Amino acid sequence: MVKSELVRVLSDKLPEFQTRDVELALNCMLDQMNTALENGERIEIRGFGSFDLRHQQARLSRNPKTGEPVNLAAKVRLHFKPGKELKDRVDAARNKCRITE
């Protein structure tokens, strides 16, 4: 879902608020989430999931095309762990997503 579509859906569900106010609230929430992650904080949204940072050490890898060794620098990765409610909803909607095993 694109952010503009999310603003439209929220505006439809909250007709007492103007669209620009809904968009401002959404942008504020996303900015706060970005700031928290930049500061190394963990974010937990009950029923949805949690975001945290994982540190990946520098390592030696290989170029898949040439097979030459390549040094990869250490980095920080964003990790999302879905909550139980989200996992259950996604699993229940499995047939809608055309997921095959």
Side-chain angles (χ1 to χ4, degrees):
M1 181 177 286
V2 181
K3 189 169 94 171
S4 59
E5 186 179 345
L6 181 58
V7 169
R8 184 186 53 75
V9 169
L10 286 172
S11 292
D12 290 346
K13 288 187 176 192
L14 302 166
E16 63 273 15
F17 295 105
Q18 293 183 5
T19 302
R20 68 175 183 233
D21 294 334
V22 171
E23 186 172 12
L24 180 65
L26 180 61
N27 286 337
C28 183
M29 184 184 74
L30 293 174
D31 287 342
Q32 289 298 313
M33 290 174 70
N34 285 335
T35 301
L37 289 169
E38 286 173 3
N39 293 331
E41 298 174 27
R42 181 176 186 270
I43 299 172
E44 182 177 338
I45 303 170
R46 299 286 167 113
F48 181 72
S50 62
F51 299 88
D52 63 351
L53 301 174
R54 303 260 171 109
H55 298 278
Q56 185 172 350
Q57 295 180 353
R59 62 189 173 96
L60 184 64
S61 185
R62 296 216 173 262
N63 180 330
K65 190 171 185 178
T66 64
E68 293 179 26
V70 177
N71 287 320
L72 298 178
K75 63 182 175 179
V76 177
R77 294 182 308 118
L78 178 63
H79 176 76
F80 174 72
K81 181 179 178 185
K84 182 181 182 329
E85 185 178 323
L86 178 60
K87 283 193 273 189
D88 292 345
R89 288 182 68 178
V90 169
D91 196 40
R94 219 181 143 103
N95 58 350
K96 295 179 187 176
C97 300
R98 294 184 235 134
I99 296 176
T100 59
E101 298 198 29

